[in-house]
Amino acid sequence: MAPLRARVDMGDGAERYVRREWIYAIFVILCVTGLAYLPLIIQLGLYREDWYLIWNGEARTLQDFVSLYQVDRPFVGYIYKLVYPFLGSTPLNWHIQAFLLRLIGVLAFFSMIRMLWPDRRFATTAAAILFAVYPGYLQQYNAVNKTFWLTSLTLALLSLALTVFAVQSRKRYQAILATLFAILLSAIYPLIIEFYIGFEAVRFILIWFAWQKRDAKPTLASLKRALLWYLPYLVSPVIFLVWRLFLFESTRPTTNVDRLLAGYLTLPRHMLARLIVETPQDFYETIALAWGVPPYQVFSQLTNREFLAGLILGGVAVLLTLSYYRWLKNRDLILTGQDSPNWTREMMWIGAITASITLLPMILAGREVDFSAATREDHYTIQSAIGATLFLIGFFYAILKPKLRLAVMCALIGISVMTQFGQLALKRNDWVNQKNVWWQLAWRAPQLIDGTLLLVNMPPGSGMSEGYETWAPANLIYSQDAEIPRLTGEVLYPGIAVPLQAGSVEPKNHRNIRFKLDYGKALVLSKPSQYACLNVIDGSWYQLPDDEEFSIRYAAPYSRIGEVVTGQPFSTPPEAIFGPEPDHTWCYYYQKAMYARQIGDWVEIARLGDEARQRGFEPADQVEWRPFLEGYIQAGRAADAAAIALEIKKDRSATRVICQQLESSASLPQNTPRGELQALLCDS
Amino acid sequence: MSTSTKPSARYETWLAILIMTLVSALAYLPLVNQLGLYKEDWYLIWSGAMRTPQDFLSLYQADRPFAGYIYQLVYPLLGPTPLYWHLLSFLLRLAGVLAFFWLLRMLWPDQKFPTLAAATLFAVYPGYLQQHNAVNKTFWLTSLTFAILSISLTVYALHLKGNLARILVTVLAILLAIYYPLVIEFYIGFEAVRFTMIWYTLQQTERKPFWPGLGRAIKIYLPYLISSAIFLYWRVFVFQSTRPTTNIGRLFSEYTNLPVYMLARIVIETVQDFYETTLLAWFVPPYNLISRATYSELALDLFCGSLAMLLVLLYYRWLKQRELSGAGDSQSDNWSQPDSRSAIPPAIRAAIGLGTVTVLVTLLPMVIAGREVNFSPESRLDHYTIQSALGVGMLLVGLIAYALRPNLRLAVIAFLIGIAVMTQVQNGADNARNWQAQRSLWWQLTWRAPQIEKGTLLFVDLAGFGFGEGYEAWAPANFIYAPGSPVPVIAAEVLTDETGFLLQKGAVEQKNHRNIRYDLDYGAPLILSKPGEFSCLNVIDGQLYELSKSDDWPIRSIAPYSRIDRVIPEETFQQPPEIIFGPEPVHDWCYYYQKAMYARQRGDWEAVARLGDEVTTKGIKPIDRTEWVPFLEGYAMSGQEQQARQLAKLIKSEQAPRREICRQRMEIASPPQNYDRDKIVSILCGES
């Protein structure tokens, strides 16, 4: 809409390019955004909160989405209720949707700033690109969960763009329609994410600024006009605030207004000091540090190959931006125009105010921006990223010489694309690890007893922070239709040491999903490295590698292999989520051998051993030969047993681990060939 | 140096030196008396105090044999007092900065402010946060300072007219050039910097065409080349390093086995490290540190940072005023010239070029040697940036002068200096807290344990300040419990998955740390845990222990293996040497807790109860309520059940730890002789 209305005063030659420029700009924005988020999209999966949402969609009714969010954001559930039937459980659909939502938000932002600075073509396009790939927000992978965040953000940005359009519109019906639509959107988005309410202050600033630009009136006169214009918009935030402050009772501590208020009343000085310190700190982090800290954190974890791929993508993004710049320059569209000479100052001010006031409600609510990967609190930056990019672009134009300005903007775009790509590469690896764990569990365990509590140690880079990351996939595999999780899960944190020892039962309520954590029915799973197979630990007869985590060492004796039900058909993980079954390589044979070991089917173990060896498979950790060694011994195949023993003995550590347990454990399974194992492995 | 002869110009150099000294002092000195010993400092100070100065040589024989001579020389002067080492470290850093400033002023005598800015940025560079590791970094900083001084002398020699003076200065520069790479081998990249500086200086003074100029630069560089060649010959063909990371044979075999990979690594790593050293250093370390500062620390950071900015601004103002009155050569001072859209001024171009080359060539040997820059606080690999930081100073000042409009240049420089000073001050604050925690740990151990059995293997968990190597525990322990012994009689190891495994197995291993040899007897472990800032030290008795809810998995896993019998009860209590550990802290809760735990170990329940009465009278309480347990036991065992039940009520508010303690008490296979387990369990674990 903006270019049609742009106040253009240029030569005939340049004028005919205006419309084409609009298309080119959007093309570049699309391409750069695509380069950042799409290259690995089909390899991404489910992460963190995504899991319980997908489980809910699969195992329960759509209405249950509403109950999930009743505790803190009661309107969010309706989004999932609406969207889930279309997207289903396939991760790719959600990732595409998250990408599209992000893109729509970017285009809304782009159209808004084009309306405000119509002649600043490159600056506005660059701002939109920087917002699209802003590296201070690295949560795009968390696609299912971030659906409502991105929906709220996109609605807010659309609403702002419509407001600016209405102010600038010379046709009354257009202005009324746009205002009505903007008001409608402004009534919805804070119901989804409450701390985005700061956008309402941004709206006022934009109205005021747009009025000043439109009528070129003195500040006070346009302020009065802006206030009048803003009045209808005030209705929805007031209603929202009344509802949120006086009617709605959040039972989640971080979104509970009473708890927050109590904090301010009990420690007023501390809370005030916090506000004073946190606001500039978060502002600086969002505007400046976001371009350095998250990129560093991501780059330092990438392999050389991933880094190179990122470098290429970043390079292509830079080339695209440069080609657009050149195109503009060749057509004299770079510096022509009638924007106020103070436009850089305007952009910086609006950017700085936007960044600050969109951060403020979040800080008031006791939260803060944090770039550490563990906290994931970079998701508090995205609403302020529009301000950050505007500020930066204005700043670059104000202080840098033209050539360098272009170089710096391109460098930021390149780095941001690399960062976003790098983050998704790390998440792709995480998904590979997750899929591996669940497929291997499906190979190993036909079924699990009701109430089994899974304690899972994932390989480095795929740490779990909540129990639902365990129980949701487990239930999707083993108990797809149960409305209450039949299998449970918890994170291995020191707090579970005591209940694990005691075998106690503890109730859990996660967003109205209620179940009991029965520590007496714990089953410990560990995949200590990318290359090791999943170890479904039998607390009475297990080997752990030297570098196994302390948490697993502690929990292993409490792992009950009896939770794995034998003699039932094997469950298959749903392909829509977990993808096609991986190739049957070493870990497949290992899991099948461990299962056969559990049921004492020695002949089957020997058969599996023969097949694995014939196909040239071997373990990364020699200790994984153990079930085959037992199988060959029990099947009376002494020569093969001796050959396997030799393989194990190549790794002194593996040998030591097995021998130590043979020596010390009083509770080995009865059918363990203890003497033979000791003779083959330990007596030398 | 400066072409001006006016009085203010003469003062200017001294004023600039004063400003740099003050800014450096603001960055490194505000908390210097609260800093102590960290990481490698410990075994160096232990070696100095317990062995002969000659033994410093053997410490470094494995990798950098010339580093030991520095300690042999310096230790007798400084002794074990941490403060002296921190002051030495500061002075070394300052000497390097001043040498760099001298070099810059020789290269660009008229660029007063930019040269000061570059040197100050180098002085407070936030990408290097190892200043606190003062004892260990003495040889790093010595090598660095020698390298910079040597290059400065080389350039100075080029400016000298008299032959004798030039020869003398050149000889001094060569001597320094021989020594510094013998101390830190990967600083050899400075030789490429030297050549570039010679070439640039000749270009400035003789203005010869490129090739003849290059030929002349090579000719002047030849004597230096010989010293570098001798060094390289020695390092590559003569010296055999037994430390893997500095072993050339190992490195060479990696390059021959995986040539494509290793070459690709060099390219990628160099690009990455360049980016990290020049740009990210101003983002990542400041963020890592300042984002976790307390409000009071933040206030100090801000105060020092602002003061540093103010000093720089005042200096600029002073300069500007003198320029207005005719001082300085404003024609060639690009800093204050108005924005020019024409060609880049030569001095700016040179600063960018020389800065880039310096960063690259000083990073390259380190990258080739298989190492890399890393800003994660755990890795401490930011110490690979310092040799490149002077290049960063030049490059940034050049870029800022080139890219920004004049009024903003000053603001950005001042801002960078402010941020850097804040970062360094916060680093000091973090390390002051670390030292406080270390001192508290060792003082509490001496309150708790009169003596520790020889051959004991300590495992220490100091929450928030994890130890990276065993010597961080055995060195202080031996200072306290085995003063005078030239070998560590008490060993220590870091708690890792692997050592945890060895502990469970009770293995015995030999350890050789830089020719300090000792046994690690995993069958004789004593586990110490200080799980939180406000928790007391817990010297764990594997038979009778209480864990805090803050104790992590490793301690939980190995607690039962801790042997309290390694603490010898009936001996005189040791006193940590004050010169290192400072004066004895006030007797707060932890003092009484340790004394109660000691009395519990001896079965002296009356003493425990007396201590309980004393803390009650004094109104002292623990933060972690599980620390009431020994007092509860003391009251219960000395017949004061009423008091015991009062404490039980307090402890019950910590549900999970209490349950764990109860379970542990119930599972004791053989309770201590005069320990009435049933009584304790009924009081502590009963419902009432």
Side-chain angles (χ1 to χ4, degrees):
Chain A
M1 40 196 161
L4 301 176
R5 304 183 52 261
R7 288 173 292 127
V8 182
D9 179 19
M10 55 188 73
D12 290 344
E15 200 172 352
R16 67 192 145 95
Y17 290 114
V18 170
R19 192 184 295 267
R20 220 181 285 170
E21 184 277 331
W22 174 252
I23 294 167
Y24 198 174
I26 290 180
F27 172 75
V28 173
I29 293 169
L30 277 175
C31 287
V32 174
T33 314
L35 283 168
Y37 301 113
L38 294 183
L40 298 172
I41 198 165
I42 54 169
Q43 295 172 50
L44 298 174
L46 302 177
Y47 310 90
R48 305 201 176 232
E49 300 87 350
D50 294 351
W51 275 115
Y52 69 75
L53 286 162
I54 292 295
W55 171 81
N56 185 79
E58 291 301 286
R60 309 205 295 177
T61 65
L62 292 175
Q63 188 58 31
D64 287 312
F65 277 118
V66 178
S67 80
L68 280 181
Y69 288 94
Q70 251 168 9
V71 292
D72 54 352
R73 289 164 177 146
F75 293 88
V76 169
Y78 294 100
I79 296 175
Y80 290 101
K81 198 176 159 183
L82 193 75
V83 176
Y84 196 87
F86 296 103
L87 302 184
S89 61
T90 311
L92 180 62
N93 297 348
W94 290 91
H95 286 287
I96 292 171
Q97 190 220 212
F99 174 75
L100 292 175
L101 279 171
R102 182 89 185 247
L103 201 59
I104 295 167
V106 170
L107 294 178
F109 171 62
F110 175 61
S111 71
M112 181 179 85
I113 55 177
R114 264 297 164 95
M115 285 185 269
L116 295 174
W117 295 282
D119 299 325
R120 295 293 146 187
R121 294 183 179 78
F122 186 73
T124 47
T125 307
I129 294 175
L130 283 178
F131 171 54
V133 294
Y134 177 69
Y137 174 79
L138 295 176
Q139 302 297 322
Q140 192 69 17
Y141 69 89
N142 192 201
V144 188
N145 176 51
K146 285 294 179 281
T147 287
F148 72 93
W149 291 66
L150 290 175
T151 304
S152 177
L153 179 70
T154 304
L155 294 179
L157 292 174
L158 274 171
S159 173
L160 293 180
L162 284 165
T163 301
V164 174
F165 177 76
V167 174
Q168 290 195 341
S169 181
R170 303 277 174 184
K171 291 177 183 163
R172 185 176 287 262
Y173 78 92
Q174 271 187 350
I176 292 172
L177 265 180
T179 305
L180 282 176
F181 202 39
I183 290 174
L184 180 71
L185 296 179
S186 76
I188 299 172
Y189 82 82
L191 293 175
I192 303 172
I193 300 281
E194 68 292 341
F195 64 81
Y196 283 179
I197 193 70
F199 278 121
E200 288 313 302
V202 176
R203 187 191 309 277
F204 176 72
I205 305 284
L206 292 177
I207 291 174
W208 184 17
F209 179 65
W211 266 114
Q212 268 194 315
K213 291 207 82 172
R214 180 180 152 161
D215 291 354
K217 284 196 172 173
T219 310
L220 267 180
S222 59
L223 185 67
K224 223 182 266 177
R225 192 81 192 256
L227 271 170
L228 278 175
W229 193 274
Y230 183 62
L231 269 180
Y233 293 99
L234 207 54
V235 176
S236 57
V238 168
I239 293 174
F240 164 75
L241 285 172
V242 168
W243 169 76
R244 188 82 202 180
L245 295 176
F246 303 110
L247 301 177
F248 177 64
E249 189 83 35
S250 173
T251 52
R252 188 179 159 209
T254 52
T255 51
N256 186 300
V257 175
D258 291 340
R259 191 195 60 93
L260 206 61
L261 200 66
Y264 278 95
L265 292 175
T266 7
L267 297 164
R269 266 192 296 180
H270 169 82
M271 295 300 268
L272 196 70
R274 185 188 163 275
L275 264 182
I276 292 167
V277 173
E278 207 58 64
T279 309
Q281 219 175 3
D282 283 3
F283 179 79
Y284 181 56
E285 284 169 9
T286 308
I287 281 195
L289 294 183
W291 310 89
V293 177
Y296 172 75
Q297 287 169 345
V298 170
F299 297 166
S300 60
Q301 294 179 68
L302 297 179
T303 62
N304 286 345
R305 187 187 289 244
E306 288 162 348
F307 184 79
L308 261 182
L311 206 62
I312 292 167
L313 291 168
V316 175
V318 169
L319 283 178
L320 274 165
T321 311
L322 285 175
S323 76
Y324 168 71
Y325 179 84
R326 203 182 158 80
W327 188 90
L328 287 178
K329 193 152 187 167
N330 287 344
R331 285 153 187 81
D332 288 334
L333 290 171
I334 286 278
L335 294 170
T336 56
Q338 297 180 335
D339 275 332
S340 105
N342 288 331
W343 72 275
T344 53
R345 205 172 294 171
E346 292 164 4
M347 215 177 234
M348 281 169 68
W349 272 112
I350 290 184
I353 292 171
T354 303
S356 308
I357 54 185
T358 49
L359 282 171
L360 204 59
M362 175 273 291
I363 297 169
L364 279 169
R367 288 166 252 184
E368 62 184 289
V369 172
D370 186 341
F371 289 134
S372 94
T375 64
R376 299 193 308 145
E377 284 178 357
D378 61 340
H379 62 191
Y380 294 130
T381 60
I382 186 73
Q383 79 285 0
S384 308
I386 55 167
T389 53
L390 278 182
F391 176 82
L392 279 187
I393 294 291
F395 186 67
F396 293 151
Y397 271 89
I399 66 159
L400 295 178
K401 293 170 185 172
K403 267 188 194 165
L404 206 86
R405 177 195 307 152
L406 180 66
V408 170
M409 287 194 280
C410 285
L412 287 188
I413 290 170
I415 286 168
S416 305
V417 169
M418 280 180 74
T419 308
Q420 294 293 357
F421 169 80
Q423 170 76 346
L424 295 182
L426 296 175
K427 291 299 159 188
R428 181 257 325 258
N429 303 341
D430 179 353
W431 182 234
V432 169
N433 283 333
Q434 286 195 70
K435 280 197 302 183
N436 261 326
V437 162
W438 298 115
W439 269 107
Q440 287 191 41
L441 180 64
W443 291 336
R444 169 67 181 84
Q447 191 50 265
L448 297 170
I449 291 179
D450 284 4
T452 299
L453 170 68
L454 294 172
L455 300 171
V456 185
N457 173 44
M458 297 290 280
S462 303
M464 288 175 169
S465 54
E466 292 285 350
Y468 49 70
E469 295 168 64
T470 305
W471 63 250
N475 282 283
L476 283 165
I477 297 169
Y478 290 108
S479 176
Q480 286 171 17
D481 301 325
E483 289 199 2
I484 294 168
R486 198 172 63 74
L487 308 172
T488 65
E490 188 48 288
V491 181
L492 280 151
Y493 72 102
I496 68 162
V498 177
L500 196 58
Q501 274 181 346
S504 51
V505 180
E506 293 182 352
K508 180 102 180 177
N509 176 1
H510 176 73
R511 291 189 170 276
N512 291 326
I513 304 169
R514 291 181 174 84
F515 50 90
K516 283 178 181 162
L517 298 174
D518 186 347
Y519 288 90
K521 300 183 77 170
L523 182 63
V524 182
L525 319 179
S526 177
K527 192 171 184 302
S529 74
Q530 193 187 339
Y531 305 106
C533 297
L534 178 72
N535 188 1
V536 180
I537 295 172
D538 173 354
S540 62
W541 178 214
Y542 62 88
Q543 287 80 44
L544 304 176
D546 283 4
D547 57 354
E548 183 58 277
E549 296 277 334
F550 272 108
S551 55
I552 292 294
R553 274 183 201 291
Y554 187 94
Y558 301 100
S559 182
R560 294 165 188 261
I561 202 66
E563 297 299 309
V564 174
V565 183
T566 55
Q568 291 209 358
F570 281 87
S571 300
T572 306
E575 199 171 320
I577 300 171
F578 297 92
E581 184 169 3
D583 291 338
H584 290 180
T585 54
W586 168 260
C587 286
Y588 173 82
Y589 289 96
Y590 172 73
Q591 299 302 350
K592 289 299 178 193
M594 286 300 276
Y595 173 67
R597 168 72 186 80
Q598 188 182 347
I599 57 174
D601 187 349
W602 310 112
V603 177
E604 174 63 4
I605 297 179
R607 189 194 68 74
L608 288 161
D610 291 345
E611 201 175 319
R613 290 160 74 198
Q614 206 175 8
R615 295 182 66 187
F617 296 135
E618 51 185 42
D621 184 347
Q622 301 303 320
V623 84
E624 289 168 5
W625 280 117
R626 194 213 83 200
F628 297 98
L629 178 60
E630 284 183 88
Y632 282 129
I633 291 170
Q634 298 287 39
R637 291 170 58 177
D640 289 307
I644 297 292
L646 277 178
E647 289 295 320
I648 296 176
K649 284 168 100 171
K650 281 180 190 168
D651 180 349
R652 287 175 62 190
S653 161
T655 318
R656 196 179 57 196
V657 172
I658 298 174
C659 292
Q660 193 202 6
Q661 213 189 5
L662 284 169
E663 204 177 302
S664 62
S665 179
S667 59
L668 292 184
Q670 276 190 335
N671 55 6
T672 308
R674 186 193 289 246
E676 291 88 337
L677 286 169
Q678 277 178 321
L680 281 167
L681 293 174
C682 317
D683 298 345
S684 57
Chain B
M1 293 183 280
S2 173
T3 53
S4 176
T5 53
K6 296 199 174 182
S8 54
R10 281 204 299 276
Y11 297 139
E12 186 277 331
T13 307
W14 293 107
L15 182 64
I17 289 172
L18 180 69
I19 296 289
M20 284 183 291
T21 308
L22 288 176
V23 171
S24 304
L26 279 170
Y28 302 114
L29 297 186
L31 299 169
V32 74
N33 64 343
Q34 294 174 44
L35 298 176
L37 302 176
Y38 310 91
K39 311 270 168 184
E40 300 86 352
D41 293 352
W42 274 115
Y43 68 76
L44 285 163
I45 291 295
W46 174 83
S47 181
M50 305 296 166
R51 311 199 297 177
T52 64
Q54 189 65 22
D55 287 310
F56 277 119
L57 303 186
S58 75
L59 283 179
Y60 288 98
Q61 248 167 12
D63 53 354
R64 288 161 177 150
F66 291 85
Y69 292 103
I70 295 173
Y71 292 100
Q72 197 182 18
L73 194 74
V74 177
Y75 188 87
L77 301 175
L78 301 186
T81 312
L83 180 63
Y84 297 161
W85 290 92
H86 287 286
L87 292 176
L88 171 71
S89 183
F90 173 74
L91 291 175
L92 279 170
R93 182 89 184 249
L94 192 62
V97 171
L98 295 180
F100 177 52
F101 177 65
W102 181 31
L103 173 68
L104 292 173
R105 279 289 165 100
M106 285 188 282
L107 296 177
W108 300 292
D110 299 317
Q111 302 290 326
K112 305 282 186 243
F113 185 76
T115 46
L116 172 116
T120 311
L121 286 176
F122 169 55
V124 294
Y125 177 69
Y128 174 79
L129 296 174
Q130 300 301 322
Q131 192 70 17
H132 65 278
N133 192 202
V135 187
N136 176 50
K137 285 294 181 280
T138 290
F139 74 95
W140 291 66
L141 290 176
T142 305
S143 175
L144 179 71
T145 304
F146 280 14
I148 301 171
L149 196 58
S150 172
I151 294 172
S152 301
L153 286 167
T154 301
V155 173
Y156 181 55
L158 295 175
H159 285 88
L160 288 172
K161 302 285 179 219
N163 277 343
L164 182 64
R166 187 182 298 169
I167 290 168
L168 278 176
V169 171
T170 306
V171 168
L172 188 56
I174 290 174
L175 284 175
L176 293 174
I178 291 171
Y179 191 71
Y180 83 80
L182 291 173
V183 180
I184 300 280
E185 68 293 341
F186 65 82
Y187 283 0
I188 192 70
F190 276 117
E191 288 313 300
V193 176
R194 185 194 308 277
F195 176 75
T196 317
M197 295 295 176
I198 292 174
W199 176 76
Y200 177 73
T201 308
L202 291 176
Q203 285 288 311
Q204 295 301 100
T205 51
E206 298 178 0
R207 302 197 181 278
K208 284 191 174 179
F210 183 79
W211 288 110
L214 195 67
R216 177 136 164 74
I218 291 171
K219 204 173 146 192
I220 290 174
Y221 184 62
L222 262 181
Y224 298 99
L225 192 64
I226 293 167
S227 73
S228 305
I230 293 172
F231 163 74
L232 285 172
Y233 176 78
W234 171 77
R235 188 81 201 180
V236 176
F237 300 109
V238 179
F239 178 64
Q240 191 80 30
S241 174
T242 51
R243 189 178 157 209
T245 50
T246 51
N247 185 302
I248 299 250
R250 182 197 64 90
L251 204 63
F252 190 66
S253 74
E254 278 179 18
Y255 276 95
T256 45
N257 289 342
L258 299 162
V260 179
Y261 168 81
M262 292 301 272
L263 281 175
R265 184 195 160 274
I266 286 179
V267 174
I268 292 173
E269 205 58 64
T270 307
V271 172
Q272 254 182 345
D273 285 359
F274 181 84
Y275 176 55
E276 286 168 10
T277 308
T278 52
L279 284 178
L280 292 183
W282 307 88
F283 289 85
V284 180
Y287 172 76
N288 286 344
L289 279 168
I290 295 171
S291 66
R292 59 167 194 249
T294 63
Y295 291 165
S296 57
E297 286 169 351
L298 199 61
L300 179 68
D301 300 346
L302 272 168
F303 175 74
C304 294
S306 311
L307 210 55
M309 285 167 74
L310 189 69
L311 281 169
V312 173
L313 293 174
L314 284 174
Y315 167 76
Y316 183 79
R317 195 183 155 85
W318 186 89
L319 267 188
K320 194 103 180 157
Q321 281 172 348
R322 299 307 176 280
E323 275 176 10
L324 287 172
S325 60
D329 180 0
S330 62
Q331 285 305 305
S332 51
D333 184 353
N334 304 118
W335 194 261
S336 51
Q337 268 182 15
D339 195 16
S340 165
R341 305 274 159 159
S342 58
I344 309 171
I348 291 177
R349 195 166 42 199
I352 295 172
L354 288 178
T356 307
V357 169
T358 303
V359 175
L360 280 175
V361 296
T362 51
L363 282 174
L364 204 59
M366 177 272 292
V367 175
I368 291 172
R371 287 166 253 184
E372 60 181 306
V373 171
N374 187 330
F375 289 134
S376 106
E378 296 79 31
S379 76
R380 300 167 62 222
L381 295 181
D382 62 336
H383 62 192
Y384 292 131
T385 60
I386 186 71
Q387 79 283 359
S388 308
L390 61 167
V392 174
M394 284 191 278
L395 175 59
L396 283 187
V397 169
L399 280 176
I400 289 166
Y402 162 63
L404 299 183
R405 295 182 174 143
N407 53 348
L408 259 156
R409 290 172 193 163
L410 179 65
V412 172
I413 289 286
F415 178 74
L416 287 181
I417 289 171
I419 286 282
V421 169
M422 282 179 72
T423 308
Q424 295 292 359
V425 174
Q426 185 53 41
N427 191 42
D430 267 21
N431 284 295
R433 258 190 283 135
N434 180 337
W435 181 235
Q436 175 62 27
Q438 285 193 70
R439 284 182 53 223
S440 168
L441 175 118
W442 297 114
W443 269 106
Q444 287 191 49
L445 183 63
T446 56
W447 292 336
R448 168 69 182 85
Q451 187 52 269
I452 290 176
E453 195 86 55
K454 285 180 184 170
T456 298
L457 177 60
L458 296 178
F459 285 94
V460 184
D461 183 33
L462 183 58
F465 304 102
F467 289 157
E469 294 284 350
Y471 49 70
E472 294 170 60
W474 66 246
N478 281 279
F479 258 117
I480 297 166
Y481 291 108
S485 170
V487 286
V489 294
I490 297 168
E493 192 46 286
V494 179
L495 200 45
T496 63
D497 299 325
E498 201 168 340
T499 56
F501 171 77
L502 293 169
L503 180 66
Q504 288 171 351
K505 195 169 170 262
V508 179
E509 287 193 341
Q510 298 229 309
K511 182 99 175 179
N512 177 0
H513 175 73
R514 292 189 172 272
N515 291 325
I516 303 168
R517 293 182 173 81
Y518 52 94
D519 287 338
L520 298 174
D521 182 353
Y522 289 91
L526 182 64
I527 296 158
L528 318 180
S529 169
K530 193 170 180 304
E533 193 184 348
F534 303 109
S535 303
C536 298
L537 174 71
N538 186 1
V539 180
I540 295 173
D541 173 354
Q543 289 293 305
L544 202 70
Y545 61 86
E546 305 86 33
L547 296 179
S548 154
K549 61 182 173 192
S550 310
D551 273 308
D552 211 344
W553 282 115
I555 290 293
R556 289 183 184 282
S557 301
I558 64 165
Y561 296 89
S562 185
R563 285 180 49 186
I564 202 65
D565 61 335
R566 306 304 298 180
V567 173
I568 309 172
E570 308 299 340
E571 294 230 6
T572 322
F573 279 90
Q574 303 295 315
Q575 191 83 353
E578 200 171 318
I579 199 164
I580 297 173
F581 297 90
E584 184 169 4
V586 286
H587 290 180
D588 57 4
W589 164 261
C590 288
Y591 174 82
Y592 293 98
Y593 171 74
Q594 299 302 349
K595 291 300 178 193
M597 290 293 274
Y598 170 64
R600 180 174 90 174
Q601 185 188 350
R602 292 169 57 225
D604 186 352
W605 302 113
E606 297 291 339
V608 178
R610 264 199 314 277
L611 287 160
D613 292 342
E614 205 173 328
V615 291
T616 311
T617 315
K618 289 186 170 174
I620 308 172
K621 289 174 188 166
I623 305 281
D624 183 344
R625 291 186 175 184
T626 54
E627 289 167 5
W628 278 121
V629 170
F631 295 94
L632 178 147
E633 291 170 325
Y635 282 129
M637 296 303 299
S638 60
Q640 303 176 61
E641 281 190 30
Q642 191 56 37
Q643 283 91 330
R645 289 191 189 280
Q646 288 293 328
L647 292 183
K649 279 182 192 163
L650 291 175
I651 298 166
K652 274 176 188 169
S653 61
E654 299 282 354
Q655 271 301 325
R658 185 186 75 113
R659 276 161 61 192
E660 192 174 22
I661 296 164
C662 291
R663 188 178 173 83
Q664 198 275 329
R665 295 295 188 270
M666 284 185 257
E667 282 179 353
I668 302 172
S670 49
Q673 251 185 351
N674 60 349
Y675 187 82
D676 187 344
R677 176 173 60 184
D678 296 340
K679 191 176 190 177
I680 302 294
V681 167
S682 86
I683 294 173
L684 179 62
C685 314
E687 287 307 311
S688 62

